[in-house]
Amino acid sequence: MSNFDDFEKLNKRTKKLYIDLILKGDKYRECCIKAMSNEGFDFSNCKSPMEELFNAAFNVVSYDEKFIDTVDNERFILIPQFDVICNDKKYIADFLVAYTHDDSVVSTYILVEIDGHEFHAKTKEQVAHDNEREYDLKMQGYDVLRFSGSQVYNSPCNCAYKTLAYVNGGW
């Protein structure tokens, strides 16, 4: 399948993100081209349009020179739908941020959750479940960053920069 066919499968907002970033200028264009060449457009593991959008933004932003070590071929990657076992409970995090060296994961950093209004904070039961889940994940040693669906929709690259800045100790 061609890259164009894969691009056409993306949701409307994700396609717009790529086009807008390419039109913004050299730095963004270069990062987009690297992301599209290396990651392609396969977001089949993403479970929502907002996850797909965040994944695309992260893949582009992760090629910013602030976050990549081109000498040692090391960089941050995003692993979607990451399984975590906590006290006989299985959780699936939207994303795990990991650090790679020559395409092998050498360190894991944080979990990223994209919270849509439909499944989070709509009822007291949902809030209680999310709080218990976050506690369990933290007890397993994971930091958890959360973004609302609105945050990702309105500013996906900002969410990606915040994530990378957090794992990289600030920019």
Side-chain angles (χ1 to χ4, degrees):
M1 186 166 295
S2 73
N3 278 348
F4 183 75
D5 291 335
D6 292 335
F7 183 79
E8 283 300 306
K9 290 180 184 177
L10 299 177
N11 74 63
K12 183 178 170 181
R13 184 68 177 105
T14 304
K15 285 190 258 190
K16 183 178 179 339
L17 171 72
Y18 277 117
I19 292 166
D20 288 350
L21 289 174
I22 288 169
L23 294 175
K24 271 190 177 180
D26 292 338
K27 175 184 170 184
Y28 291 102
R29 186 177 300 116
E30 182 181 325
C31 290
C32 275
I33 290 168
K34 285 180 183 175
M36 289 184 284
S37 299
N38 293 324
E39 269 72 44
F41 297 112
D42 181 13
F43 298 116
S44 57
N45 289 333
C46 295
K47 299 296 182 199
S48 74
M50 290 307 102
E51 288 178 25
E52 179 183 296
L53 182 59
F54 179 80
N55 195 345
F58 186 95
N59 286 338
V60 170
V61 171
S62 69
Y63 282 99
D64 186 313
E65 60 192 30
K66 290 182 242 184
F67 303 119
I68 190 167
D69 183 345
T70 53
V71 174
D72 292 326
N73 198 26
E74 296 177 346
R75 67 183 203 89
F76 292 102
I77 62 166
L78 206 56
I79 301 170
Q81 302 303 301
F82 184 76
D83 293 340
V84 181
I85 306 297
C86 302
N87 302 324
D88 298 327
K89 297 178 198 170
K90 179 180 175 183
Y91 296 115
I92 300 173
D94 292 337
F95 299 102
L96 170 76
V97 178
Y99 198 66
T100 65
H101 177 75
D102 290 328
D103 296 327
S104 298
V105 172
V106 293
S107 299
T108 58
Y109 283 85
I110 60 165
L111 301 174
V112 177
E113 296 287 347
I114 310 299
D115 296 338
H117 180 67
E118 189 68 27
F119 299 104
H120 303 275
K122 194 172 183 182
T123 68
K124 288 180 183 180
E125 292 81 15
Q126 288 170 336
V127 171
H129 176 266
D130 281 350
N131 288 343
E132 181 179 338
R133 183 178 191 270
E134 188 155 340
Y135 174 81
D136 287 345
L137 293 170
K138 286 184 178 187
M139 290 303 289
Q140 287 295 116
Y142 290 99
D143 280 343
V144 180
L145 284 184
R146 293 187 172 278
F147 297 103
S148 71
S150 297
Q151 284 177 293
V152 173
Y153 183 84
N154 292 320
S155 189
C157 288
N158 188 45
C159 295
Y161 267 109
K162 284 181 176 182
T163 301
L164 285 159
Y166 181 83
V167 297
N168 202 39
W171 51 57

